């Protein structure tokens, strides 16, 4: 695009996507009289998954708006908590977010995860087929049109990533109900039912067990239970604050 210019001002939260030389003040962008405002915003580096309200000269417009020369555009970030059409709220995470996937499952949030790199087209197709919100740090993936819905994960630290997702989407939490390995639902199990997975010390020390209905993995309150309890307590408290 090399036609007349518009002026685009991004919310501070979106500056991470804008080239460093353009992060101060208003961005000037060329128009061609045909491309949508959504296309212009993406061409400046900002995935539409992160865009909330769009204001043109102070009035709300959709991403399909075709900007005209001289317009001033304000791009706001997604409102929180973000409402995703349809239901229930489910997620799909790419290969780089394994720890986040396990923590969401610990909280009982339906979370699919690809442990190998199956490629952006396959991930986007699965997001659409299963109506899952795609969580990723891959901006190119989040720009794919076939995505059901998506969100950029800003932090590289799992504890901050979890807080981001919980604050943004406020999913219903059902701790201790999902398998952290495969996302299957857990059921109560007797010691005899899971005996083949227990070492002698565990067999002698613990009496309360759960088992995944999908993969059969056994769970009990082992050495790391206090750490997991802390994650659950913090997450429940966080989500309770916004209700």
């Amino acid at each position: 695009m090399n036609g007349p210019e518009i002026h685009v001002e991004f919310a501070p939260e979106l500056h991470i996507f804008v080239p460093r030389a353009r992060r101060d003040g208003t961005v000037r962008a060329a128009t061609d009289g045909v491309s949508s405002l959504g296309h212009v915003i993406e061409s400046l580096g900002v995935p539409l998954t992160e865009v909330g309200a769009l204001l043109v000269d102070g009035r709300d417009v959709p991403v399909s708006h075709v900007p005209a020369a001289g317009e001033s555009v304000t791009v706001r970030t997604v409102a929180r908590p973000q409402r995703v059409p349809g239901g229930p709220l489910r997620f799909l995470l790419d290969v780089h977010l394994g720890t986040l996937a396990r923590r969401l499952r610990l909280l009982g949030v339906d979370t699919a995860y690809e442990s190998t790199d199956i490629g952006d087209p396959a991930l986007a197709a699965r997001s659409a087929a299963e109506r899952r919100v795609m969580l990723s740090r891959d901006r190119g993936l989040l720009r794919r049109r076939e995505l059901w819905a998506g969100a950029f994960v800003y932090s590289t630290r799992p504890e901050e990533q979890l807080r981001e997702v919980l604050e943004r989407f406020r999913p219903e939490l059902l701790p201790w109900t999902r398998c952290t390995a495969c996302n299957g639902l857990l059921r109560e199990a007797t010691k005899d039912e899971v005996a083949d997975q227990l070492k002698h010390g565990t067999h002698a020390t613990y009496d309360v067990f759960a088992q995944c209905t999908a993969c059969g993995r056994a769970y009990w309150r082992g050495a790391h239970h206090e750490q997991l309890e802390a994650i659950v307590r913090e997450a429940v408290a966080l989500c309770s604050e916004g209700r």
Side-chain angles (χ1 to χ4, degrees):
M1 292 184 289
N2 55 5
E5 290 184 336
I6 60 172
H7 307 276
V8 186
E9 181 180 359
F10 290 99
E13 297 90 342
L14 301 178
H15 288 184
I16 185 176
F17 301 106
V18 182
R20 189 171 301 276
R22 294 175 164 180
R23 289 184 190 174
D24 296 329
T26 301
V27 176
R28 295 177 179 271
T31 65
D32 59 9
V34 176
S35 298
S36 68
L37 182 55
H39 179 80
V40 174
I41 290 170
E42 284 195 323
S43 73
L44 294 172
V46 181
L48 291 183
T49 59
E50 307 312 295
V51 171
L54 294 173
L55 303 179
V56 170
D57 295 332
R59 71 183 191 280
D60 285 297
V61 299
V63 293
S64 59
H65 171 79
V66 177
E71 289 184 338
S72 293
V73 180
T74 301
V75 182
R76 294 178 176 168
T77 191
V78 176
R80 287 166 171 74
Q82 182 178 348
R83 303 303 179 191
V84 179
L89 180 62
R90 303 189 294 179
F91 295 103
L92 171 62
L93 279 62
D94 67 18
V95 65
H96 303 292
L97 298 176
T99 300
L100 175 60
R102 289 188 293 274
R103 293 189 178 190
L104 286 170
R105 290 170 177 175
L106 172 67
L107 298 173
V109 179
D110 188 343
T111 305
Y113 165 66
E114 291 291 348
S115 60
T116 58
D117 188 357
I118 64 173
D120 289 0
L123 283 169
R126 183 174 182 185
S127 166
E130 300 179 13
R131 295 192 171 187
R132 292 182 179 273
V133 179
M134 183 79 240
L135 301 182
S136 178
R137 287 180 50 78
D138 182 341
R139 304 176 193 186
L141 170 58
L142 295 176
R143 288 200 294 267
R144 297 193 71 89
R145 292 289 180 262
E146 61 269 39
L147 280 179
W148 164 249
F152 184 77
V153 178
Y154 290 76
S155 178
T156 58
R157 299 180 52 171
E159 59 272 18
E160 294 176 359
Q161 291 174 343
L162 180 60
R163 175 175 285 271
E164 280 182 33
V165 174
L166 297 181
E167 288 181 337
R168 178 164 176 169
F169 292 99
R170 299 285 180 180
E172 181 183 9
L173 304 186
L174 299 169
W176 316 108
T177 61
R178 287 191 178 272
C179 176
T180 57
C182 80
N183 196 44
L185 294 174
L186 301 183
R187 66 170 182 86
E188 292 183 3
T190 66
K191 185 181 292 188
D192 288 342
E193 288 175 312
V194 298
D196 61 332
Q197 299 184 52
L198 308 179
K199 295 181 180 180
H200 178 72
T202 302
H203 192 283
T205 305
Y206 299 97
D207 295 304
V208 179
F209 298 91
Q211 187 173 33
C212 178
T213 57
C215 72
R217 179 172 177 169
Y219 289 86
W220 60 91
R221 297 187 176 187
H224 300 293
H225 188 73
E226 288 188 7
Q227 178 183 353
L228 300 178
E229 280 275 18
I231 293 173
V232 170
R233 282 197 305 270
E234 183 177 344
V236 170
L238 175 64
C239 287
S240 297
E241 291 173 2
R243 298 195 188 282

